[in-house]
């Protein structure tokens, strides 16, 4: 523990790192303050009336730190930017011009893709804000109605644009990935309400046994820590393929001869397959909520309420597995790796260069992808499984929202590890021991 505090002291001794940490904290505080600024003329429960209590609205409310349920200027959070980034990534693979821009454009190409992502974000934010504003009719406290709609659209779009700018400033002048840290801060802000819910359920109730209540809370904390440890282990896990480079003489110097590895991460897709799956499953209910809010059609109602059925977790898990393989197929190219090895005089011991090497790398990649896909599927099912197990132990657990069961913790751990590694690089460059020592 003393070593940990010594590391923190060393971090504050580095002027540039100290400045970046303070800058990041200040901008995250601004984000949290913005989550408390309501949109003028809109009742507080307007969005929950439109979307219901689950599906897209629940996820939006988690990553926005409760801003969606309170209908504040940050109610859409950074979700349009996430969707825009995913769309641009997929188009980069499908459109040759964008692919050349990403691979051969260098820093200038990245800037152009970033600009395209920003423009797409504003477009998506305007469309999403328009649909939200039109379907919040009846929740407005101002008139005329058309003016209220304009105010809502402008407020929501401006809130998303400001968060996008805030995230870019953190990335450029602070520590870590700004967009990820904004999502991180939004999820962490749910922790106090969860702690209060646990206390009220197991200790604060008039008929509760304090000792038993404390034991139940400790059980929840142990599960929480176990999930974090599992996610850290899988996130950092990788399959290393050994590579040997042949010796070659150029003039009077000898090159090559060294050994290295090709690291293939178990969970290379990160949280993207889960976000894809949630978006696909939320799409029908969102469309019905926005365009046909008062429908009585049985099929439409079944789609709208699908997230509350027993089939939802299973379909969600299957979609996550499918999207994990899709991500691997798009972004991991065994033939390209094989060709690069061959061109540079490298080979995998015991494997012939060329097609045999490509097949071997593809086989290893498929196995690691399957392991990562199953891991993400389990993480997706975890909240449901935990809720069932805990309710079997004590029915009072039905009222506890286990937001930390899956996607949220995966995002938290990923962002935390990424930020810590960046702090590490600053400290090690100045000969200080880091957090991961």
């Amino acid at each position: 523990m003393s070593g940990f505090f010594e590391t923190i002291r060393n971090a504050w001794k580095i002027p540039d790192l100290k400045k970046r940490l303070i800058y990041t904290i200040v901008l995250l505080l601004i984000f949290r303050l913005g989550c408390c600024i309501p949109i003028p003329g809109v009742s507080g429960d307007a969005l929950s009336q439109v979307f219901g209590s689950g599906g897209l609205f629940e996820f939006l409310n988690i990553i926005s730190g409760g801003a969606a349920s309170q209908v504040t200027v940050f109610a859409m959070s950074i979700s349009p930017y996430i969707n825009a980034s995913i769309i641009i990534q997929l188009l980069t693979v499908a459109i040759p011009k964008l692919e050349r821009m990403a691979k051969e454009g260098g820093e200038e190409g990245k800037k152009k893709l970033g600009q395209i992502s920003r423009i797409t974000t504003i477009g998506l934010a305007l469309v999403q804000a328009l649909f939200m504003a039109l379907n919040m009719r009846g929740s407005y406290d101002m008139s005329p109605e058309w003016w209220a709609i304009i105010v809502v659209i402008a407020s929501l779009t401006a809130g998303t644009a400001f968060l996008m700018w805030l995230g870019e400033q953190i990335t450029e002048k602070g520590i870590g990935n700004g967009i990820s840290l904004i999502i991180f801060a939004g999820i962490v802000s749910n922790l106090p309400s969860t702690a209060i819910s646990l206390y009220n359920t197991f200790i604060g109730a008039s008929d509760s046994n304090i000792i038993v209540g404390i034991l139940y809370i400790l059980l929840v904390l142990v599960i929480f820590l176990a999930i974090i440890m599992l996610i850290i282990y899988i996130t950092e896990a990788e399959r290393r393929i050994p590579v040997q480079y042949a010796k070659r003489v150029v003039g009077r110097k000898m090159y090559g001869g060294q050994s290295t590895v090709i690291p293939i991460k178990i969970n290379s897709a990160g949280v993207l397959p889960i976000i894809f799956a949630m978006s696909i499953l939320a799409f029908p209910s969102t469309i019905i909520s926005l365009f046909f809010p008062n429908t009585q059609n049985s099929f439409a109602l079944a789609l709208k309420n699908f997230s509350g059925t027993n089939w939802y977790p299973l379909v969600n898990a299957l979609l996550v597995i499918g999207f994990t393989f899709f991500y691997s197929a798009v972004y991991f190219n065994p033939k390209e790796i094989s060709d690069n090895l061959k061109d540079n005089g490298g080979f995998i011991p015991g494997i012939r260069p060329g097609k045999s090497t490509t097949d071997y790398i593809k086989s290893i990649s498929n196995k690691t992808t399957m392991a990562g896909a199953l891991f993400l599927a389990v993480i997706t099912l975890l909240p449901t499984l935990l809720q069932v197990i805990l309710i079997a132990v004590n029915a009072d657990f039905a009222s506890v929202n286990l937001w930390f069961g899956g996607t949220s913790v995966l995002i938290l751990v990923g962002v935390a590890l990424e930020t810590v590694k960046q702090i590490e690089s600053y400290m090690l460059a100045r000969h200080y021991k880091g957090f991961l020592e």
Side-chain angles (χ1 to χ4, degrees), residues 327-345:
Y327 182 92
S328 176
V330 169
Y331 290 101
F332 187 81
N333 190 341
K335 188 176 188 309
E336 185 178 341
I337 295 174
S338 174
D339 291 342
N340 288 337
L341 285 176
K342 189 176 181 180
D343 294 342
N344 291 283

mmCIF file of all heavy atoms in Angstrom, residues 327-345:
data_model
loop_
_atom_site.group_PDB
_atom_site.id
_atom_site.type_symbol
_atom_site.label_atom_id
_atom_site.label_comp_id
_atom_site.label_asym_id
_atom_site.label_seq_id
_atom_site.Cartn_x
_atom_site.Cartn_y
_atom_site.Cartn_z
ATOM 1 N N TYR A 327 -16.021 -9.033 -36.439
ATOM 2 C CA TYR A 327 -14.963 -8.062 -36.162
ATOM 3 C C TYR A 327 -13.596 -8.649 -36.481
ATOM 4 O O TYR A 327 -12.747 -8.000 -37.094
ATOM 5 C CB TYR A 327 -15.028 -7.626 -34.695
ATOM 6 C CG TYR A 327 -14.000 -6.581 -34.310
ATOM 7 C CD1 TYR A 327 -14.300 -5.227 -34.379
ATOM 8 C CD2 TYR A 327 -12.728 -6.952 -33.869
ATOM 9 C CE1 TYR A 327 -13.370 -4.270 -34.031
ATOM 10 C CE2 TYR A 327 -11.785 -6.005 -33.526
ATOM 11 C CZ TYR A 327 -12.118 -4.664 -33.605
ATOM 12 O OH TYR A 327 -11.174 -3.720 -33.270
ATOM 13 N N SER A 328 -13.382 -9.919 -36.081
ATOM 14 C CA SER A 328 -12.098 -10.576 -36.333
ATOM 15 C C SER A 328 -11.850 -10.738 -37.830
ATOM 16 O O SER A 328 -10.737 -10.521 -38.318
ATOM 17 C CB SER A 328 -12.073 -11.944 -35.648
ATOM 18 O OG SER A 328 -10.887 -12.635 -35.938
ATOM 19 N N ALA A 329 -12.903 -11.112 -38.577
ATOM 20 C CA ALA A 329 -12.761 -11.308 -40.020
ATOM 21 C C ALA A 329 -12.434 -10.009 -40.744
ATOM 22 O O ALA A 329 -11.692 -9.987 -41.731
ATOM 23 C CB ALA A 329 -14.043 -11.912 -40.590
ATOM 24 N N VAL A 330 -12.971 -8.889 -40.224
ATOM 25 C CA VAL A 330 -12.772 -7.589 -40.874
ATOM 26 C C VAL A 330 -11.398 -7.008 -40.565
ATOM 27 O O VAL A 330 -10.715 -6.476 -41.450
ATOM 28 C CB VAL A 330 -13.890 -6.613 -40.456
ATOM 29 C CG1 VAL A 330 -13.560 -5.185 -40.900
ATOM 30 C CG2 VAL A 330 -15.228 -7.035 -41.052
ATOM 31 N N TYR A 331 -10.963 -7.118 -39.302
ATOM 32 C CA TYR A 331 -9.769 -6.395 -38.873
ATOM 33 C C TYR A 331 -8.514 -7.251 -38.719
ATOM 34 O O TYR A 331 -7.438 -6.717 -38.477
ATOM 35 C CB TYR A 331 -10.052 -5.664 -37.550
ATOM 36 C CG TYR A 331 -10.993 -4.508 -37.723
ATOM 37 C CD1 TYR A 331 -12.338 -4.629 -37.389
ATOM 38 C CD2 TYR A 331 -10.554 -3.299 -38.233
ATOM 39 C CE1 TYR A 331 -13.213 -3.566 -37.559
ATOM 40 C CE2 TYR A 331 -11.413 -2.230 -38.406
ATOM 41 C CZ TYR A 331 -12.745 -2.378 -38.063
ATOM 42 O OH TYR A 331 -13.605 -1.324 -38.245
ATOM 43 N N PHE A 332 -8.643 -8.573 -38.829
ATOM 44 C CA PHE A 332 -7.468 -9.426 -38.684
ATOM 45 C C PHE A 332 -7.263 -10.197 -39.973
ATOM 46 O O PHE A 332 -8.127 -10.974 -40.390
ATOM 47 C CB PHE A 332 -7.632 -10.392 -37.505
ATOM 48 C CG PHE A 332 -6.398 -11.191 -37.204
ATOM 49 C CD1 PHE A 332 -5.362 -10.652 -36.462
ATOM 50 C CD2 PHE A 332 -6.263 -12.496 -37.665
ATOM 51 C CE1 PHE A 332 -4.225 -11.388 -36.178
ATOM 52 C CE2 PHE A 332 -5.129 -13.241 -37.396
ATOM 53 C CZ PHE A 332 -4.098 -12.671 -36.647
ATOM 54 N N ASN A 333 -6.124 -9.982 -40.625
ATOM 55 C CA ASN A 333 -5.848 -10.588 -41.928
ATOM 56 C C ASN A 333 -4.629 -11.514 -41.833
ATOM 57 O O ASN A 333 -3.482 -11.061 -41.904
ATOM 58 C CB ASN A 333 -5.598 -9.496 -42.967
ATOM 59 C CG ASN A 333 -5.544 -10.043 -44.382
ATOM 60 O OD1 ASN A 333 -5.338 -11.236 -44.600
ATOM 61 N ND2 ASN A 333 -5.742 -9.172 -45.351
ATOM 62 N N PRO A 334 -4.842 -12.832 -41.665
ATOM 63 C CA PRO A 334 -3.708 -13.774 -41.549
ATOM 64 C C PRO A 334 -2.791 -13.772 -42.769
ATOM 65 O O PRO A 334 -1.568 -13.903 -42.629
ATOM 66 C CB PRO A 334 -4.404 -15.131 -41.388
ATOM 67 C CG PRO A 334 -5.771 -14.824 -40.894
ATOM 68 C CD PRO A 334 -6.132 -13.508 -41.513
ATOM 69 N N LYS A 335 -3.373 -13.599 -43.971
ATOM 70 C CA LYS A 335 -2.551 -13.620 -45.185
ATOM 71 C C LYS A 335 -1.586 -12.434 -45.210
ATOM 72 O O LYS A 335 -0.418 -12.566 -45.595
ATOM 73 C CB LYS A 335 -3.438 -13.595 -46.428
ATOM 74 C CG LYS A 335 -2.673 -13.798 -47.732
ATOM 75 C CD LYS A 335 -3.584 -13.868 -48.928
ATOM 76 C CE LYS A 335 -2.799 -14.255 -50.186
ATOM 77 N NZ LYS A 335 -1.598 -13.453 -50.418
ATOM 78 N N GLU A 336 -2.066 -11.276 -44.772
ATOM 79 C CA GLU A 336 -1.206 -10.087 -44.742
ATOM 80 C C GLU A 336 -0.043 -10.282 -43.769
ATOM 81 O O GLU A 336 1.098 -9.917 -44.064
ATOM 82 C CB GLU A 336 -2.033 -8.866 -44.340
ATOM 83 C CG GLU A 336 -1.276 -7.554 -44.395
ATOM 84 C CD GLU A 336 -2.146 -6.361 -44.048
ATOM 85 O OE1 GLU A 336 -3.384 -6.488 -44.121
ATOM 86 O OE2 GLU A 336 -1.588 -5.306 -43.702
ATOM 87 N N ILE A 337 -0.322 -10.882 -42.611
ATOM 88 C CA ILE A 337 0.729 -11.150 -41.626
ATOM 89 C C ILE A 337 1.732 -12.152 -42.197
ATOM 90 O O ILE A 337 2.954 -11.982 -42.054
ATOM 91 C CB ILE A 337 0.110 -11.687 -40.318
ATOM 92 C CG1 ILE A 337 -0.761 -10.607 -39.665
ATOM 93 C CG2 ILE A 337 1.199 -12.136 -39.343
ATOM 94 C CD1 ILE A 337 -1.528 -11.085 -38.458
ATOM 95 N N SER A 338 1.208 -13.191 -42.851
ATOM 96 C CA SER A 338 2.068 -14.214 -43.449
ATOM 97 C C SER A 338 2.975 -13.614 -44.519
ATOM 98 O O SER A 338 4.182 -13.918 -44.571
ATOM 99 C CB SER A 338 1.209 -15.332 -44.047
ATOM 100 O OG SER A 338 2.005 -16.265 -44.739
ATOM 101 N N ASP A 339 2.413 -12.756 -45.362
ATOM 102 C CA ASP A 339 3.211 -12.120 -46.424
ATOM 103 C C ASP A 339 4.278 -11.203 -45.837
ATOM 104 O O ASP A 339 5.417 -11.159 -46.342
ATOM 105 C CB ASP A 339 2.298 -11.327 -47.367
ATOM 106 C CG ASP A 339 1.400 -12.240 -48.200
ATOM 107 O OD1 ASP A 339 1.709 -13.437 -48.293
ATOM 108 O OD2 ASP A 339 0.383 -11.750 -48.737
ATOM 109 N N ASN A 340 3.932 -10.468 -44.781
ATOM 110 C CA ASN A 340 4.916 -9.581 -44.132
ATOM 111 C C ASN A 340 6.076 -10.378 -43.539
ATOM 112 O O ASN A 340 7.245 -9.966 -43.623
ATOM 113 C CB ASN A 340 4.239 -8.743 -43.046
ATOM 114 C CG ASN A 340 3.342 -7.673 -43.614
ATOM 115 O OD1 ASN A 340 3.525 -7.259 -44.765
ATOM 116 N ND2 ASN A 340 2.378 -7.215 -42.845
ATOM 117 N N LEU A 341 5.743 -11.512 -42.929
ATOM 118 C CA LEU A 341 6.802 -12.372 -42.370
ATOM 119 C C LEU A 341 7.731 -12.871 -43.476
ATOM 120 O O LEU A 341 8.956 -12.836 -43.352
ATOM 121 C CB LEU A 341 6.181 -13.570 -41.641
ATOM 122 C CG LEU A 341 5.543 -13.324 -40.275
ATOM 123 C CD1 LEU A 341 4.893 -14.605 -39.763
ATOM 124 C CD2 LEU A 341 6.591 -12.842 -39.275
ATOM 125 N N LYS A 342 7.136 -13.319 -44.565
ATOM 126 C CA LYS A 342 7.918 -13.867 -45.677
ATOM 127 C C LYS A 342 8.821 -12.800 -46.288
ATOM 128 O O LYS A 342 9.999 -13.053 -46.604
ATOM 129 C CB LYS A 342 6.967 -14.436 -46.732
ATOM 130 C CG LYS A 342 7.652 -15.221 -47.839
ATOM 131 C CD LYS A 342 6.607 -15.834 -48.775
ATOM 132 C CE LYS A 342 7.290 -16.633 -49.876
ATOM 133 N NZ LYS A 342 6.290 -17.237 -50.790
ATOM 134 N N ASP A 343 8.277 -11.597 -46.467
ATOM 135 C CA ASP A 343 9.051 -10.500 -47.070
ATOM 136 C C ASP A 343 10.222 -10.071 -46.198
ATOM 137 O O ASP A 343 11.235 -9.587 -46.708
ATOM 138 C CB ASP A 343 8.145 -9.291 -47.341
ATOM 139 C CG ASP A 343 7.099 -9.590 -48.415
ATOM 140 O OD1 ASP A 343 7.290 -10.561 -49.161
ATOM 141 O OD2 ASP A 343 6.076 -8.862 -48.468
ATOM 142 N N ASN A 344 10.073 -10.235 -44.868
ATOM 143 C CA ASN A 344 11.125 -9.797 -43.948
ATOM 144 C C ASN A 344 12.006 -10.949 -43.463
ATOM 145 O O ASN A 344 12.764 -10.778 -42.497
ATOM 146 C CB ASN A 344 10.504 -9.078 -42.743
ATOM 147 C CG ASN A 344 9.905 -7.740 -43.123
ATOM 148 O OD1 ASN A 344 10.612 -6.752 -43.321
ATOM 149 N ND2 ASN A 344 8.582 -7.691 -43.242
ATOM 150 N N GLY A 345 11.882 -12.112 -44.090
ATOM 151 C CA GLY A 345 12.733 -13.235 -43.722
ATOM 152 C C GLY A 345 12.332 -13.915 -42.428
ATOM 153 O O GLY A 345 13.154 -14.583 -41.799
#
